[in-house]
Amino acid sequence: MAQSFSESVWVATKKIPRGHLATYQQIARMIHRPRAARAVGNALNKNPYAPLVPCHRVVRSNGTVGGFASGTKNKVALLKKEGILIKAGRVVNLKEYLIKL
DNA sequence: GTCGTGACTAGCC
DNA sequence: CGGCTAGCCACGA
């Protein structure tokens, strides 16, 4: 499949199971670009699969939600709805929610 | 074809 | 512990 870097990002993000999270670095690693965490964020920002790609399940390696196009608060509320607790814009027990490769 | 920007990460002071 | 700098990749102008 001649998928572009961005497309690979969206595909990898879509694979995130409900109730689980992934870091930008993790996504970058999935697509064989462990140094492209920045590009991952850039791709998700422009993702044409808006509601299809759970970009809200992608957070920073630090556990902070980071920034989101539709408003971080909106994403935080959505994550909470999936059973993920957010505290002060940060994911609680991030390690427990992280997906396994 | 070159420059600048962005939802990042890791290292250094 | 906190802030800043450098490196990374892709895309738009």
Short mmCIF file of all heavy atoms in Angstrom, two decimals, chain A residues 19-89:
data_model
loop_
_atom_site.label_atom_id
_atom_site.label_comp_id
_atom_site.label_asym_id
_atom_site.label_seq_id
_atom_site.Cartn_x
_atom_site.Cartn_y
_atom_site.Cartn_z
N GLY A 19 -10.53 2.82 25.30
CA GLY A 19 -10.09 2.69 26.68
C GLY A 19 -8.57 2.60 26.79
O GLY A 19 -8.02 2.43 27.87
N HIS A 20 -7.90 2.71 25.65
CA HIS A 20 -6.44 2.67 25.66
C HIS A 20 -5.87 3.95 25.08
O HIS A 20 -6.54 4.67 24.35
CB HIS A 20 -5.94 1.47 24.86
CG HIS A 20 -6.09 0.19 25.60
ND1 HIS A 20 -5.05 -0.50 26.16
CD2 HIS A 20 -7.21 -0.52 25.90
CE1 HIS A 20 -5.51 -1.59 26.76
NE2 HIS A 20 -6.82 -1.63 26.62
N LEU A 21 -4.60 4.20 25.36
CA LEU A 21 -3.95 5.42 24.87
C LEU A 21 -2.62 5.10 24.21
O LEU A 21 -2.07 4.02 24.37
CB LEU A 21 -3.71 6.37 26.04
CG LEU A 21 -4.99 6.90 26.70
CD1 LEU A 21 -4.61 7.73 27.93
CD2 LEU A 21 -5.76 7.76 25.72
N ALA A 22 -2.12 6.06 23.46
CA ALA A 22 -0.81 5.89 22.83
C ALA A 22 -0.11 7.25 22.79
O ALA A 22 -0.77 8.28 22.68
CB ALA A 22 -0.99 5.35 21.41
N THR A 23 1.19 7.24 22.90
CA THR A 23 1.93 8.50 22.86
C THR A 23 2.35 8.80 21.42
O THR A 23 2.38 7.91 20.58
CB THR A 23 3.17 8.41 23.76
OG1 THR A 23 4.05 7.45 23.21
CG2 THR A 23 2.79 8.03 25.16
N TYR A 24 2.68 10.02 21.16
CA TYR A 24 3.11 10.40 19.81
C TYR A 24 4.32 9.56 19.41
O TYR A 24 4.45 9.15 18.27
CB TYR A 24 3.47 11.89 19.78
CG TYR A 24 2.26 12.76 19.87
CD1 TYR A 24 1.87 13.32 21.09
CD2 TYR A 24 1.48 13.01 18.75
CE1 TYR A 24 0.76 14.12 21.17
CE2 TYR A 24 0.36 13.80 18.83
CZ TYR A 24 0.00 14.36 20.05
OH TYR A 24 -1.11 15.14 20.13
N GLN A 25 5.18 9.34 20.35
CA GLN A 25 6.37 8.56 20.07
C GLN A 25 5.98 7.12 19.72
O GLN A 25 6.57 6.51 18.84
CB GLN A 25 7.26 8.57 21.31
CG GLN A 25 8.66 8.09 20.98
CD GLN A 25 9.59 8.35 22.13
OE1 GLN A 25 9.22 8.22 23.27
NE2 GLN A 25 10.80 8.74 21.83
N GLN A 26 4.97 6.62 20.43
CA GLN A 26 4.51 5.27 20.17
C GLN A 26 3.96 5.16 18.75
O GLN A 26 4.25 4.23 18.02
CB GLN A 26 3.43 4.93 21.20
CG GLN A 26 3.13 3.47 21.24
CD GLN A 26 4.27 2.66 21.80
OE1 GLN A 26 5.36 2.68 21.28
NE2 GLN A 26 4.02 1.95 22.88
N ILE A 27 3.15 6.11 18.38
CA ILE A 27 2.58 6.14 17.02
C ILE A 27 3.70 6.22 16.00
O ILE A 27 3.72 5.48 15.02
CB ILE A 27 1.65 7.35 16.87
CG1 ILE A 27 0.47 7.23 17.85
CG2 ILE A 27 1.14 7.44 15.43
CD1 ILE A 27 -0.45 6.08 17.55
N ALA A 28 4.63 7.09 16.25
CA ALA A 28 5.76 7.26 15.33
C ALA A 28 6.52 5.94 15.18
O ALA A 28 6.94 5.58 14.09
CB ALA A 28 6.67 8.35 15.86
N ARG A 29 6.63 5.24 16.26
CA ARG A 29 7.34 3.97 16.25
C ARG A 29 6.57 2.92 15.46
O ARG A 29 7.14 2.08 14.80
CB ARG A 29 7.54 3.52 17.70
CG ARG A 29 8.62 2.49 17.83
CD ARG A 29 8.95 2.27 19.30
NE ARG A 29 10.04 1.31 19.39
CZ ARG A 29 10.63 0.99 20.52
NH1 ARG A 29 10.27 1.59 21.63
NH2 ARG A 29 11.59 0.13 20.54
N MET A 30 5.26 2.97 15.55
CA MET A 30 4.40 2.01 14.83
C MET A 30 4.63 2.11 13.32
O MET A 30 4.55 1.12 12.61
CB MET A 30 2.93 2.33 15.09
CG MET A 30 2.48 1.97 16.48
SD MET A 30 0.75 2.37 16.66
CE MET A 30 0.58 2.16 18.42
N ILE A 31 4.87 3.31 12.86
CA ILE A 31 5.01 3.53 11.42
C ILE A 31 6.47 3.59 10.99
O ILE A 31 6.79 4.09 9.91
CB ILE A 31 4.28 4.82 11.03
CG1 ILE A 31 4.87 6.02 11.76
CG2 ILE A 31 2.80 4.70 11.33
CD1 ILE A 31 4.19 7.31 11.39
N HIS A 32 7.33 3.11 11.86
CA HIS A 32 8.76 3.04 11.53
C HIS A 32 9.41 4.41 11.40
O HIS A 32 10.28 4.61 10.56
CB HIS A 32 8.97 2.25 10.24
CG HIS A 32 8.55 0.83 10.36
ND1 HIS A 32 8.76 -0.07 9.36
CD2 HIS A 32 7.97 0.16 11.38
CE1 HIS A 32 8.29 -1.25 9.75
NE2 HIS A 32 7.81 -1.14 10.96
N ARG A 33 8.95 5.35 12.19
CA ARG A 33 9.55 6.69 12.17
C ARG A 33 9.68 7.18 13.61
O ARG A 33 9.04 8.13 14.01
CB ARG A 33 8.66 7.65 11.37
CG ARG A 33 8.61 7.32 9.90
CD ARG A 33 9.98 7.51 9.25
NE ARG A 33 9.88 7.45 7.81
CZ ARG A 33 9.82 6.33 7.11
NH1 ARG A 33 9.81 5.16 7.73
NH2 ARG A 33 9.77 6.40 5.81
N PRO A 34 10.52 6.49 14.40
CA PRO A 34 10.66 6.77 15.83
C PRO A 34 11.10 8.19 16.14
O PRO A 34 11.00 8.64 17.27
CB PRO A 34 11.73 5.76 16.28
CG PRO A 34 12.45 5.36 15.04
CD PRO A 34 11.46 5.48 13.93
N ARG A 35 11.54 8.90 15.13
CA ARG A 35 11.96 10.30 15.36
C ARG A 35 10.96 11.29 14.80
O ARG A 35 11.22 12.47 14.75
CB ARG A 35 13.32 10.53 14.69
CG ARG A 35 14.35 9.52 15.13
CD ARG A 35 14.74 9.77 16.58
NE ARG A 35 15.79 8.87 16.99
CZ ARG A 35 15.58 7.74 17.63
NH1 ARG A 35 14.36 7.35 17.90
NH2 ARG A 35 16.60 7.01 18.01
N ALA A 36 9.83 10.78 14.34
CA ALA A 36 8.87 11.66 13.66
C ALA A 36 7.66 11.99 14.54
O ALA A 36 6.57 12.23 14.03
CB ALA A 36 8.43 11.00 12.37
N ALA A 37 7.85 12.02 15.82
CA ALA A 37 6.74 12.33 16.72
C ALA A 37 6.10 13.65 16.33
O ALA A 37 4.89 13.82 16.40
CB ALA A 37 7.26 12.39 18.15
N ARG A 38 6.91 14.57 15.88
CA ARG A 38 6.42 15.89 15.47
C ARG A 38 5.52 15.77 14.25
O ARG A 38 4.46 16.34 14.16
CB ARG A 38 7.61 16.76 15.11
CG ARG A 38 7.53 18.07 15.79
CD ARG A 38 8.85 18.77 15.55
NE ARG A 38 8.80 20.05 16.13
CZ ARG A 38 9.85 20.82 16.23
NH1 ARG A 38 11.00 20.40 15.81
NH2 ARG A 38 9.74 21.97 16.75
N ALA A 39 5.99 15.02 13.29
CA ALA A 39 5.23 14.83 12.06
C ALA A 39 3.91 14.14 12.38
O ALA A 39 2.90 14.38 11.72
CB ALA A 39 6.06 14.02 11.08
N VAL A 40 3.92 13.26 13.36
CA VAL A 40 2.70 12.55 13.77
C VAL A 40 1.66 13.57 14.23
O VAL A 40 0.51 13.53 13.80
CB VAL A 40 3.01 11.56 14.90
CG1 VAL A 40 1.72 10.97 15.46
CG2 VAL A 40 3.90 10.44 14.38
N GLY A 41 2.07 14.46 15.08
CA GLY A 41 1.16 15.49 15.58
C GLY A 41 0.67 16.36 14.43
O GLY A 41 -0.49 16.72 14.36
N ASN A 42 1.57 16.63 13.52
CA ASN A 42 1.23 17.46 12.37
C ASN A 42 0.18 16.76 11.52
O ASN A 42 -0.78 17.37 11.06
CB ASN A 42 2.48 17.73 11.55
CG ASN A 42 2.23 18.80 10.52
OD1 ASN A 42 1.20 19.45 10.53
ND2 ASN A 42 3.17 18.99 9.64
N ALA A 43 0.33 15.48 11.33
CA ALA A 43 -0.61 14.69 10.51
C ALA A 43 -1.97 14.62 11.20
O ALA A 43 -3.00 14.82 10.56
CB ALA A 43 -0.04 13.30 10.29
N LEU A 44 -1.96 14.34 12.47
CA LEU A 44 -3.22 14.23 13.21
C LEU A 44 -3.95 15.57 13.21
O LEU A 44 -5.17 15.62 13.19
CB LEU A 44 -2.93 13.79 14.66
CG LEU A 44 -2.46 12.34 14.76
CD1 LEU A 44 -2.08 12.04 16.20
CD2 LEU A 44 -3.57 11.40 14.31
N ASN A 45 -3.21 16.61 13.23
CA ASN A 45 -3.80 17.96 13.23
C ASN A 45 -4.59 18.19 11.95
O ASN A 45 -5.62 18.84 11.94
CB ASN A 45 -2.69 18.99 13.34
CG ASN A 45 -3.28 20.38 13.42
OD1 ASN A 45 -4.47 20.54 13.67
ND2 ASN A 45 -2.47 21.38 13.23
N LYS A 46 -4.12 17.62 10.87
CA LYS A 46 -4.77 17.81 9.57
C LYS A 46 -5.57 16.57 9.16
O LYS A 46 -5.91 16.44 7.99
CB LYS A 46 -3.70 18.10 8.53
CG LYS A 46 -2.92 19.35 8.86
CD LYS A 46 -1.78 19.50 7.89
CE LYS A 46 -0.97 20.74 8.26
NZ LYS A 46 0.21 20.84 7.42
N ASN A 47 -5.77 15.67 10.08
CA ASN A 47 -6.41 14.41 9.72
C ASN A 47 -7.78 14.61 9.08
O ASN A 47 -8.67 15.19 9.68
CB ASN A 47 -6.48 13.49 10.94
CG ASN A 47 -7.70 13.80 11.80
OD1 ASN A 47 -8.70 14.28 11.33
ND2 ASN A 47 -7.59 13.54 13.06
N PRO A 48 -7.96 14.11 7.85
CA PRO A 48 -9.24 14.19 7.14
C PRO A 48 -10.22 13.16 7.69
O PRO A 48 -11.39 13.18 7.33
CB PRO A 48 -8.85 13.87 5.69
CG PRO A 48 -7.62 13.03 5.81
CD PRO A 48 -6.92 13.46 7.09
N TYR A 49 -9.74 12.28 8.54
CA TYR A 49 -10.58 11.24 9.11
C TYR A 49 -11.12 11.70 10.48
O TYR A 49 -11.39 10.88 11.35
CB TYR A 49 -9.78 9.95 9.29
CG TYR A 49 -9.30 9.38 7.99
CD1 TYR A 49 -8.09 9.76 7.43
CD2 TYR A 49 -10.09 8.46 7.31
CE1 TYR A 49 -7.65 9.21 6.24
CE2 TYR A 49 -9.67 7.92 6.12
CZ TYR A 49 -8.45 8.30 5.58
OH TYR A 49 -8.02 7.76 4.39
N ALA A 50 -11.20 13.01 10.62
CA ALA A 50 -11.58 13.64 11.88
C ALA A 50 -12.24 12.72 12.93
O ALA A 50 -11.57 12.38 13.89
CB ALA A 50 -12.45 14.85 11.58
N PRO A 51 -13.52 12.35 12.78
CA PRO A 51 -14.18 11.54 13.82
C PRO A 51 -13.79 10.07 13.73
O PRO A 51 -13.99 9.31 14.66
CB PRO A 51 -15.67 11.71 13.50
CG PRO A 51 -15.72 12.02 12.03
CD PRO A 51 -14.38 12.58 11.62
N LEU A 52 -13.21 9.71 12.62
CA LEU A 52 -12.83 8.30 12.42
C LEU A 52 -11.54 7.98 13.17
O LEU A 52 -11.37 6.91 13.71
CB LEU A 52 -12.67 8.03 10.93
CG LEU A 52 -12.45 6.56 10.58
CD1 LEU A 52 -13.65 5.72 11.01
CD2 LEU A 52 -12.23 6.41 9.09
N VAL A 53 -10.64 8.94 13.18
CA VAL A 53 -9.37 8.75 13.89
C VAL A 53 -9.45 9.32 15.30
O VAL A 53 -9.67 10.51 15.47
CB VAL A 53 -8.23 9.45 13.12
CG1 VAL A 53 -6.93 9.34 13.89
CG2 VAL A 53 -8.10 8.84 11.73
N PRO A 54 -9.32 8.47 16.29
CA PRO A 54 -9.40 8.90 17.70
C PRO A 54 -8.16 9.65 18.14
O PRO A 54 -7.41 9.20 18.99
CB PRO A 54 -9.55 7.58 18.45
CG PRO A 54 -8.84 6.57 17.60
CD PRO A 54 -8.99 7.05 16.17
N CYS A 55 -7.94 10.79 17.55
CA CYS A 55 -6.73 11.56 17.86
C CYS A 55 -6.70 11.94 19.34
O CYS A 55 -5.64 12.23 19.88
CB CYS A 55 -6.66 12.81 16.98
SG CYS A 55 -8.27 13.47 16.55
N HIS A 56 -7.85 11.89 19.98
CA HIS A 56 -7.88 12.25 21.40
C HIS A 56 -7.23 11.16 22.25
O HIS A 56 -6.95 11.37 23.42
CB HIS A 56 -9.33 12.48 21.83
CG HIS A 56 -10.21 11.31 21.56
ND1 HIS A 56 -10.88 11.15 20.36
CD2 HIS A 56 -10.51 10.26 22.32
CE1 HIS A 56 -11.57 10.02 20.44
NE2 HIS A 56 -11.36 9.45 21.59
N ARG A 57 -7.00 9.99 21.64
CA ARG A 57 -6.36 8.91 22.39
C ARG A 57 -4.84 9.00 22.27
O ARG A 57 -4.13 8.15 22.77
CB ARG A 57 -6.83 7.56 21.85
CG ARG A 57 -8.27 7.28 22.24
CD ARG A 57 -8.69 5.90 21.78
NE ARG A 57 -10.14 5.80 21.90
CZ ARG A 57 -10.87 5.04 21.11
NH1 ARG A 57 -10.32 4.32 20.17
NH2 ARG A 57 -12.17 4.99 21.28
N VAL A 58 -4.38 10.01 21.59
CA VAL A 58 -2.93 10.19 21.44
C VAL A 58 -2.47 11.34 22.33
O VAL A 58 -2.96 12.46 22.22
CB VAL A 58 -2.59 10.52 19.97
CG1 VAL A 58 -1.08 10.58 19.80
CG2 VAL A 58 -3.19 9.46 19.06
N VAL A 59 -1.55 11.02 23.22
CA VAL A 59 -1.06 12.04 24.15
C VAL A 59 0.46 12.08 24.13
O VAL A 59 1.11 11.27 23.48
CB VAL A 59 -1.55 11.72 25.57
CG1 VAL A 59 -3.06 11.79 25.63
CG2 VAL A 59 -1.03 10.36 26.01
N ARG A 60 1.02 13.01 24.87
CA ARG A 60 2.47 13.12 24.90
C ARG A 60 3.07 12.03 25.77
O ARG A 60 2.40 11.46 26.62
CB ARG A 60 2.86 14.49 25.48
CG ARG A 60 2.41 15.62 24.58
CD ARG A 60 3.38 16.73 24.71
NE ARG A 60 2.76 17.96 25.11
CZ ARG A 60 3.47 19.07 25.28
NH1 ARG A 60 4.74 19.10 25.12
NH2 ARG A 60 2.91 20.16 25.62
N SER A 61 4.33 11.79 25.61
CA SER A 61 5.03 10.76 26.38
C SER A 61 5.02 11.15 27.86
O SER A 61 5.15 10.32 28.74
CB SER A 61 6.45 10.60 25.89
OG SER A 61 7.12 11.82 26.02
N ASN A 62 4.87 12.42 28.11
CA ASN A 62 4.84 12.94 29.46
C ASN A 62 3.51 12.63 30.15
O ASN A 62 3.38 12.70 31.35
CB ASN A 62 5.08 14.45 29.40
CG ASN A 62 5.05 15.06 30.77
OD1 ASN A 62 5.37 14.40 31.74
ND2 ASN A 62 4.66 16.29 30.83
N GLY A 63 2.50 12.31 29.35
CA GLY A 63 1.19 12.02 29.92
C GLY A 63 0.25 13.20 29.75
O GLY A 63 -0.96 13.07 29.92
N THR A 64 0.79 14.35 29.41
CA THR A 64 -0.08 15.52 29.19
C THR A 64 -0.84 15.34 27.88
O THR A 64 -0.33 14.80 26.91
CB THR A 64 0.75 16.80 29.13
OG1 THR A 64 1.82 16.61 28.22
CG2 THR A 64 1.31 17.13 30.49
N VAL A 65 -2.06 15.80 27.88
CA VAL A 65 -2.91 15.62 26.70
C VAL A 65 -2.33 16.39 25.51
O VAL A 65 -2.48 15.99 24.37
CB VAL A 65 -4.33 16.14 26.99
CG1 VAL A 65 -5.22 15.94 25.77
CG2 VAL A 65 -4.91 15.39 28.19
N GLY A 66 -1.67 17.48 25.78
CA GLY A 66 -1.08 18.27 24.70
C GLY A 66 -2.11 19.24 24.14
O GLY A 66 -2.87 19.83 24.89
N GLY A 67 -2.17 19.37 22.86
CA GLY A 67 -3.12 20.29 22.24
C GLY A 67 -3.99 19.58 21.23
O GLY A 67 -3.57 18.60 20.63
N PHE A 68 -5.20 20.07 21.04
CA PHE A 68 -6.09 19.45 20.07
C PHE A 68 -6.85 20.51 19.29
O PHE A 68 -7.19 21.57 19.82
CB PHE A 68 -7.07 18.52 20.78
CG PHE A 68 -6.41 17.28 21.27
CD1 PHE A 68 -6.07 17.15 22.60
CD2 PHE A 68 -6.10 16.26 20.39
CE1 PHE A 68 -5.46 16.00 23.05
CE2 PHE A 68 -5.48 15.12 20.84
CZ PHE A 68 -5.16 14.99 22.16
N ALA A 69 -7.12 20.19 18.04
CA ALA A 69 -7.73 21.16 17.13
C ALA A 69 -9.11 21.59 17.62
O ALA A 69 -9.49 22.74 17.52
CB ALA A 69 -7.80 20.56 15.74
N SER A 70 -9.88 20.65 18.16
CA SER A 70 -11.25 20.96 18.57
C SER A 70 -11.33 21.39 20.03
O SER A 70 -12.41 21.49 20.59
CB SER A 70 -12.14 19.72 18.36
OG SER A 70 -12.11 19.35 17.00
N GLY A 71 -10.20 21.61 20.63
CA GLY A 71 -10.21 22.04 22.02
C GLY A 71 -9.84 20.89 22.94
O GLY A 71 -10.48 19.85 22.93
N THR A 72 -8.82 21.08 23.70
CA THR A 72 -8.33 20.03 24.59
C THR A 72 -9.41 19.56 25.57
O THR A 72 -9.57 18.38 25.81
CB THR A 72 -7.13 20.55 25.39
OG1 THR A 72 -6.22 21.15 24.48
CG2 THR A 72 -6.44 19.42 26.12
N LYS A 73 -10.16 20.50 26.07
CA LYS A 73 -11.19 20.16 27.06
C LYS A 73 -12.19 19.16 26.50
O LYS A 73 -12.62 18.25 27.17
CB LYS A 73 -11.90 21.44 27.47
CG LYS A 73 -10.97 22.34 28.27
CD LYS A 73 -11.57 23.73 28.46
CE LYS A 73 -12.85 23.65 29.28
NZ LYS A 73 -13.41 25.00 29.48
N ASN A 74 -12.54 19.35 25.25
CA ASN A 74 -13.48 18.46 24.59
C ASN A 74 -12.91 17.03 24.54
O ASN A 74 -13.62 16.07 24.77
CB ASN A 74 -13.75 18.99 23.18
CG ASN A 74 -14.80 18.13 22.50
OD1 ASN A 74 -15.59 17.46 23.17
ND2 ASN A 74 -14.82 18.16 21.20
N LYS A 75 -11.64 16.94 24.24
CA LYS A 75 -10.99 15.64 24.15
C LYS A 75 -10.91 14.99 25.52
O LYS A 75 -11.13 13.80 25.68
CB LYS A 75 -9.58 15.81 23.58
CG LYS A 75 -9.57 16.57 22.29
CD LYS A 75 -10.38 15.83 21.22
CE LYS A 75 -10.30 16.62 19.93
NZ LYS A 75 -11.04 16.00 18.85
N VAL A 76 -10.56 15.80 26.49
CA VAL A 76 -10.46 15.29 27.86
C VAL A 76 -11.79 14.70 28.30
O VAL A 76 -11.85 13.61 28.87
CB VAL A 76 -10.06 16.43 28.82
CG1 VAL A 76 -10.18 15.98 30.27
CG2 VAL A 76 -8.63 16.88 28.52
N ALA A 77 -12.87 15.40 27.98
CA ALA A 77 -14.20 14.92 28.36
C ALA A 77 -14.49 13.59 27.66
O ALA A 77 -15.07 12.68 28.26
CB ALA A 77 -15.25 15.97 27.96
N LEU A 78 -14.07 13.48 26.42
CA LEU A 78 -14.30 12.27 25.65
C LEU A 78 -13.50 11.10 26.24
O LEU A 78 -13.98 9.98 26.36
CB LEU A 78 -13.90 12.51 24.19
CG LEU A 78 -14.25 11.36 23.25
CD1 LEU A 78 -15.73 11.03 23.35
CD2 LEU A 78 -13.91 11.75 21.82
N LEU A 79 -12.27 11.39 26.62
CA LEU A 79 -11.41 10.36 27.21
C LEU A 79 -12.03 9.87 28.52
O LEU A 79 -12.05 8.67 28.80
CB LEU A 79 -10.02 10.94 27.47
CG LEU A 79 -9.21 11.18 26.20
CD1 LEU A 79 -7.95 11.95 26.54
CD2 LEU A 79 -8.85 9.86 25.53
N LYS A 80 -12.54 10.79 29.28
CA LYS A 80 -13.17 10.42 30.56
C LYS A 80 -14.35 9.49 30.31
O LYS A 80 -14.61 8.56 31.05
CB LYS A 80 -13.67 11.69 31.26
CG LYS A 80 -12.55 12.48 31.89
CD LYS A 80 -13.15 13.66 32.64
CE LYS A 80 -12.05 14.48 33.30
NZ LYS A 80 -12.63 15.63 34.02
N LYS A 81 -15.05 9.76 29.20
CA LYS A 81 -16.22 8.96 28.86
C LYS A 81 -15.82 7.52 28.53
O LYS A 81 -16.61 6.59 28.66
CB LYS A 81 -16.94 9.60 27.67
CG LYS A 81 -18.35 9.08 27.56
CD LYS A 81 -19.30 10.11 26.93
CE LYS A 81 -19.00 10.34 25.49
NZ LYS A 81 -20.10 11.10 24.84
N GLU A 82 -14.57 7.36 28.11
CA GLU A 82 -14.08 6.03 27.77
C GLU A 82 -13.48 5.33 28.99
O GLU A 82 -12.99 4.22 28.90
CB GLU A 82 -13.03 6.14 26.67
CG GLU A 82 -13.66 6.67 25.38
CD GLU A 82 -12.73 6.47 24.19
OE1 GLU A 82 -11.61 6.03 24.39
OE2 GLU A 82 -13.19 6.73 23.07
N GLY A 83 -13.51 6.02 30.10
CA GLY A 83 -13.01 5.40 31.33
C GLY A 83 -11.61 5.86 31.68
O GLY A 83 -10.98 5.32 32.59
N ILE A 84 -11.11 6.86 30.96
CA ILE A 84 -9.76 7.35 31.23
C ILE A 84 -9.84 8.63 32.06
O ILE A 84 -10.53 9.57 31.69
CB ILE A 84 -9.04 7.63 29.90
CG1 ILE A 84 -8.92 6.33 29.09
CG2 ILE A 84 -7.66 8.22 30.17
CD1 ILE A 84 -8.47 6.53 27.66
N LEU A 85 -9.17 8.63 33.17
CA LEU A 85 -9.22 9.78 34.06
C LEU A 85 -8.19 10.83 33.68
O LEU A 85 -7.04 10.52 33.39
CB LEU A 85 -8.98 9.31 35.49
CG LEU A 85 -10.01 8.28 35.98
CD1 LEU A 85 -9.67 7.85 37.39
CD2 LEU A 85 -11.41 8.87 35.94
N ILE A 86 -8.60 12.07 33.68
CA ILE A 86 -7.70 13.18 33.36
C ILE A 86 -7.64 14.13 34.55
O ILE A 86 -8.64 14.45 35.16
CB ILE A 86 -8.22 13.95 32.14
CG1 ILE A 86 -8.55 12.98 30.99
CG2 ILE A 86 -7.19 14.97 31.70
CD1 ILE A 86 -7.35 12.26 30.44
N LYS A 87 -6.46 14.54 34.87
CA LYS A 87 -6.29 15.45 36.01
C LYS A 87 -5.42 16.63 35.59
O LYS A 87 -4.29 16.46 35.17
CB LYS A 87 -5.60 14.67 37.14
CG LYS A 87 -5.69 15.40 38.45
CD LYS A 87 -7.09 15.29 39.02
CE LYS A 87 -7.08 15.62 40.50
NZ LYS A 87 -8.37 15.38 41.12
N ALA A 88 -5.95 17.81 35.70
CA ALA A 88 -5.20 19.02 35.36
C ALA A 88 -4.58 18.93 33.97
O ALA A 88 -3.44 19.29 33.77
CB ALA A 88 -4.12 19.25 36.42
N GLY A 89 -5.37 18.45 33.00
CA GLY A 89 -4.88 18.35 31.63
C GLY A 89 -3.85 17.26 31.45
O GLY A 89 -3.15 17.20 30.45
#
